[in-house]
Amino acid sequence: MEFFQPESWQEALEIRAAHPGAVPIFGGTDVMVDLNFDRERPEAIVDLTQVPEIQDWSREDGRLSIGAGVTYTRIIAELGNMLPGLAMASRTVGSPQIRNRGTVGGNLGTASPAGDALPPLYASDAEVEVASSDGTRRVPVTEFITGPKRNILEPNELIAAFYIPEAEGPQQYSKIGTRNAMVIAVCAVGLALHPEQRKVGTCVGSAAPTPVRAADAEGFIEGVLEEQGLWDSRGEIGEPALVRFGELVEAVTRPISDVRGTAAYRTHAVGVLARRTLKWAWDEYRGGE
Ligand SMILES: Cc1cc2nc3c(=O)[nH]c(=O)nc-3n(C[C@H](O)[C@H](O)[C@H](O)COP(=O)(O)OP(=O)(O)OC[C@H]3O[C@@H](n4cnc5c(N)ncnc54)[C@H](O)[C@@H]3O)c2cc1C
């Protein structure tokens, strides 16, 4: 197996173009598992850890550009205030060792429906920047992931960064696992309140072939908040509206039954998580926490 270790983004893109069968690696927390279990035997590996350009983040006009190689540990430490939902999700990933190496770029590369970084990206309309030696393109994350462990990356492309608006309101991420740590989500819900736009973003993880936005639920609750003037009054959301919101989020699930849980459990649990995350975020918006 050939091993490449580019030291610049340009060099990485040239290697990728010349060796389309080469597997990119950053933290290796997915790639090395596949290699160790002999699920994959690529002709070459491109180690991106020496490429400085993808290991930085920046902020412009309320929007963050975060390099594919920024680890979960750094997201929690450096971006927790600006991206509370993604930071919450990052805290649930693996263990400190995994968070020290693992990246959102790798989570996007793997495109697992259970990827914890993905629901917060969906709930805030993030975009993924992919690059090749021919140029770059920016794709909404909802279009970047096309199926379980599938994304739109062409063989000559790499993930450069993702773009996400800084939180303009409370955000939540809640995940069910079979134990408290080091666990892949049985199901999860990410939620973001966008008070300036009077919008609510919601995404379900690990209960469909890809993470999935709950558009009807979002539309429903936005209608309730608008009609009852709750964005301005900061009044409480009534129980019937919370219940209906949960039902509409449940409706987008297309879960499987597997070792981690049954389809019926996942659907039920997603409804519970949806109600809770909305209530927690709304209570915070009201000034309760
Ligand atoms: C013990 C353990 C626990 C885990 N727990 C969780 C968990 O709780 N939640 C969770 O979501 N995940 C978990 N994972 C999975 C993994 O840690 C995450 O998916 C992580 O985000 C992968 O990031 P990485 O940088 O290590 O990716 P890598 O393993 O380096 O790469 C992953 C994929 O992305 C591709 N890739 C990486 N960087 C790029 C790039 N710049 N351009 C193009 N393609 C790229 C690779 O080719 C590969 O296909 C766990 C893994 C382990 C081993």
Side-chain angles (χ1 to χ4, degrees):
M1 191 187 294
E2 276 191 276
F3 180 75
F4 298 100
Q5 200 169 51
E7 291 180 2
S8 73
W9 188 232
Q10 194 50 41
E11 195 191 343
L13 294 176
E14 281 164 17
I15 292 169
R16 181 76 161 152
H19 303 270
V23 168
I25 187 170
F26 195 92
T29 60
D30 280 321
V31 171
M32 290 313 297
V33 176
D34 283 343
L35 291 186
N36 289 342
F37 281 97
D38 237 351
R39 290 187 203 129
E40 201 173 8
R41 190 74 14 208
E43 57 183 63
I45 287 198
V46 192
D47 173 14
L48 299 173
T49 56
Q50 304 308 306
V51 175
E53 291 94 325
I54 58 167
Q55 298 186 53
D56 257 334
W57 59 266
S58 62
R59 183 183 180 199
E60 204 177 306
D61 296 334
R63 229 174 148 66
L64 293 154
S65 158
I66 302 171
V70 174
T71 62
Y72 293 112
T73 298
R74 286 186 55 203
I75 286 176
I76 296 163
E78 299 168 27
L79 296 165
N81 291 338
M82 289 177 261
L83 297 173
L86 182 60
M88 273 182 205
S90 301
R91 284 187 203 101
T92 78
V93 173
S95 60
Q97 296 89 332
I98 297 294
R99 295 193 288 273
N100 284 342
R101 297 216 44 108
T103 60
V104 176
N107 219 226
L108 287 163
T110 297
S112 161
D116 282 307
L118 306 177
L121 265 52
Y122 277 60
S124 289
D125 295 310
E127 292 178 317
V128 183
E129 183 171 284
V130 299
S132 72
S133 35
D134 298 333
T136 61
R137 57 188 178 128
R138 249 193 235 184
V139 189
V141 66
T142 46
E143 288 167 31
F144 178 80
I145 293 175
T146 54
K149 304 216 168 173
R150 286 203 305 272
N151 60 41
I152 57 155
L153 266 195
E154 297 290 342
N156 65 341
E157 288 181 322
L158 290 170
I159 303 164
F162 64 99
Y163 290 80
I164 187 166
E166 195 179 325
E168 55 170 90
Q171 301 184 340
Q172 281 291 336
Y173 183 75
S174 191
K175 162 178 172 182
I176 289 183
T178 48
R179 57 184 180 197
N180 250 350
M182 281 286 280
V183 76
I184 298 173
V186 174
C187 60
V189 170
L191 183 134
L193 297 183
H194 307 294
E196 284 163 29
Q197 306 168 60
R198 304 202 164 204
K199 296 257 178 218
V200 177
T202 311
C203 179
V204 175
S206 210
T210 64
V212 54
R213 278 291 281 261
D216 287 349
E218 292 172 0
F220 164 76
I221 201 65
E222 284 163 8
V224 170
L225 297 175
E226 207 60 61
E227 280 156 27
Q228 300 183 10
L230 297 179
W231 286 115
D232 294 327
S233 71
R234 299 188 187 235
E236 224 173 314
I237 300 175
E239 189 61 23
L242 288 174
V243 170
R244 184 69 191 134
F245 177 74
E247 286 167 357
L248 288 170
V249 177
E250 271 182 38
V252 301
T253 62
R254 282 195 289 140
I256 53 167
S257 294
D258 65 9
V259 285
R260 283 177 278 140
T262 64
Y265 176 74
R266 284 191 158 101
T267 302
H268 168 76
V270 160
V272 175
L273 294 186
R275 286 201 306 272
R276 280 186 195 160
T277 49
L278 176 60
K279 180 148 176 33
W280 292 335
W282 192 255
D283 282 348
E284 190 185 332
Y285 178 70
R286 298 180 67 214
E289 281 177 61

